[in-house]
DNA sequence: AACAATTTTAAATTCATATTTAAAATAAAC
DNA sequence: GTTTATTTTAAATATGAATTTAAAATTGTT
């Protein structure tokens, strides 16, 4: 057979692997199918990655890098913009990232909960904590100097939940073909604005309560 | 060997199965281990349930029924209470249900995303849609008669996300032993109140906007 | 106590798939 | 053009687990 350009087979395997892992999960995905889709031989996985598990981990990293590159965390909003706009940028980036059909990393993460391979330990520290830190700092600014770290963390958690859960469900609906599940989000932009309304109203409510609870009657 | 009381082996299998499926996922859970933990023979699963998959589905139903029985959807709040209190009851019930270490149904659902067995199709219609309908109706009341169904659905979705995602993450953290993941929720009661603050502030913001957009200048 | 129905048991079977192996093919180096 | 390193291939091996089978044990019934 004619040989591929250097690294081409490896790359094809990573892409095919992401697809198959997303479709079938770690255990139900077979090395055979991944190789077939990549147009490679059955032993290519072991040759290039050593094992199915190692391929799986590499495929996640590959998908994550691609999806973050396509949707940078700041959502295209400048560091100098007011905090409200920066939060909107981050919410927009996250929601669009999850909604983007080409991003696979969330599904691989979801799978990790079902079939843990230890990948999350690593990824948590190197990738997810830094992303979270950025959001915490914008929320901290919006809450003002009186807010406790506890309040900052709770607000960030709520915002993350409003972005993650609905969009993960929406994609699961398509992916697993569950027509019984309700379609709630018809327009991404409208949903982003809706989340922002909840987030800002919630943050304002917490701010208000801070001020009250520190009055002269205390 | 001495024989068990009628139905005892079956029940033990259901419980052992829930545990093992939660720990390992569908594929990585073995019939052998389930039987071992239930103190039953290797062929008990096929005798009582016909197949591993049928056991899995029965185990989910069993877990779901138990967890709903332990945390009824209304959260102990009367139908006659004001809508704000009824929403608080539902939020409390959901959050406490997910946090309850003995409830397994959420993890089995999460697994379904990774290793779909078709269970969700059924469950969606018979169990989840009715639960959602109840929440939608309280939210509808809170938003007032001017709100569109679209707005009602978006608000419910945000509230659900704030309850589900953080608590699922928290339990995944324990279950998969990921010390790297941040612990955000230290006190369930405080988190419930935090979610309620966001929910009510968000709903109020949407209400306000309705009123404005229907003014005389329209 | 004998019979029938149910439940439990251990062993055998079947099946699927990850991994290994070694040979063949190709490209790069000198 | 020969040698060397890399990549691809097909076949063989090993492994792990679900399922089936049929016999043995237990309980309930008359």
């Amino acid at each position: 057979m004619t040989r591929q350009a250097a690294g081409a087979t490896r790359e094809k395997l990573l892409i095919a692997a992401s697809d198959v892992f997303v479709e079938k999960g770690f255990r139900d995905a077979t090395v055979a199918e991944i190789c077939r889709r990549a147009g490679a031989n059955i032993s290519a996985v072991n040759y290039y990655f050593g094992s199915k598990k190692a391929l799986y981990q590499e495929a996640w990293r590959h998908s994550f890098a691609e999806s973050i590159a396509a949707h940078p965390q700041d959502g295209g909003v400048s560091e100098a913009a007011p905090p409200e706009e920066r939060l909107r940028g981050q919410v927009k980036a996250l929601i669009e990232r999850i909604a983007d059909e080409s991003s696979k990393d969330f599904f691989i993460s979801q799978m990790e909960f079902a079939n843990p391979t230890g990948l999350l330990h690593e990824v948590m520290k190197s990738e997810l904590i830094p992303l979270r830190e950025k959001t915490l700092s914008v929320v901290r600014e919006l809450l003002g100097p009186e807010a406790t770290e506890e309040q900052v963390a709770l607000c960030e958690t709520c915002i993350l939940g409003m972005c993650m859960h609905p969009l993960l469900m929406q994609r699961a609906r398509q992916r697993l073909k569950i027509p019984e599940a309700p379609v709630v989000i018809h327009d991404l932009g409208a949903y982003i604005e809706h989340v922002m309304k909840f987030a800002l109203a919630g943050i304002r409510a917490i701010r208000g309560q801070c001020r009250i609870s520190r009055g002269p009657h205390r």
Side-chain angles (χ1 to χ4, degrees), chain A:
Chain A
M1 288 290 120
T2 66
R3 209 161 117 183
Q4 306 269 354
T9 302
R10 199 190 134 92
E11 176 85 7
K12 278 192 194 172
L13 281 171
L14 282 174
I15 292 168
S18 308
D19 291 341
V20 178
F21 283 134
V22 165
E23 282 173 35
K24 310 260 176 104
F26 178 71
R27 279 300 297 269
D28 281 321
T30 69
V31 170
E33 179 165 12
I34 292 169
C35 291
R36 191 175 53 68
R37 288 210 206 174
N41 183 269
I42 179 78
S43 56
V45 163
N46 284 288
Y47 175 70
Y48 282 101
F49 301 96
S51 70
K52 180 185 178 183
K53 187 163 166 178
L55 167 62
Y56 169 79
Q57 303 202 348
E58 281 297 310
W60 189 91
R61 269 181 262 278
H62 188 259
S63 300
F64 182 77
E66 271 202 338
S67 107
I68 281 286
H71 306 278
Q73 194 190 6
D74 59 20
V77 175
S78 146
E79 287 271 359
E84 187 175 317
E85 279 316 303
R86 275 180 288 141
L87 182 63
R88 179 171 279 109
Q90 290 195 13
V91 164
K92 179 175 143 79
L94 178 57
I95 287 178
E96 289 180 345
R97 185 155 74 91
I98 310 177
D100 185 341
E101 305 246 339
S102 66
S103 57
K104 312 271 165 66
D105 51 329
F106 289 101
F107 299 96
I108 301 181
S109 302
Q110 263 193 307
M111 240 157 267
E112 195 64 12
F113 295 124
N115 302 89
T117 67
L119 176 62
L120 280 177
H121 289 238
E122 235 182 290
V123 154
M124 186 60 66
K125 221 176 195 165
S126 61
E127 316 287 356
L128 305 183
I129 303 268
L131 287 176
R132 174 166 178 263
E133 211 52 62
K134 280 258 179 186
T135 307
L136 284 173
S137 92
V138 180
V139 171
R140 195 177 291 124
E141 246 181 280
L142 284 165
L143 277 170
E146 324 234 311
T148 65
E149 273 311 295
E150 174 85 10
Q151 291 175 315
V152 173
L154 289 178
C155 288
E156 191 270 346
T157 291
C158 281
I159 295 170
L160 192 66
M162 293 190 285
C163 296
M164 294 282 286
H165 192 257
L167 281 137
L168 288 176
M169 289 304 104
Q170 187 107 330
R171 286 205 59 183
R173 186 187 175 281
Q174 309 167 333
R175 199 162 58 89
L176 306 182
K177 315 244 167 59
I178 311 180
E180 296 87 357
V183 181
V184 175
I185 301 170
H186 302 96
D187 171 10
L188 267 198
Y191 188 65
I192 292 166
E193 282 316 307
H194 192 267
V195 169
M196 283 304 294
K197 239 172 252 152
F198 263 64
L200 294 173
I203 287 171
R204 238 176 283 126
I206 304 286
R207 260 189 98 110
Q209 153 203 297
C210 285
R211 216 172 290 128
I212 287 159
S213 73
R214 314 179 80 262
H217 61 282
R218 194 199 175 184

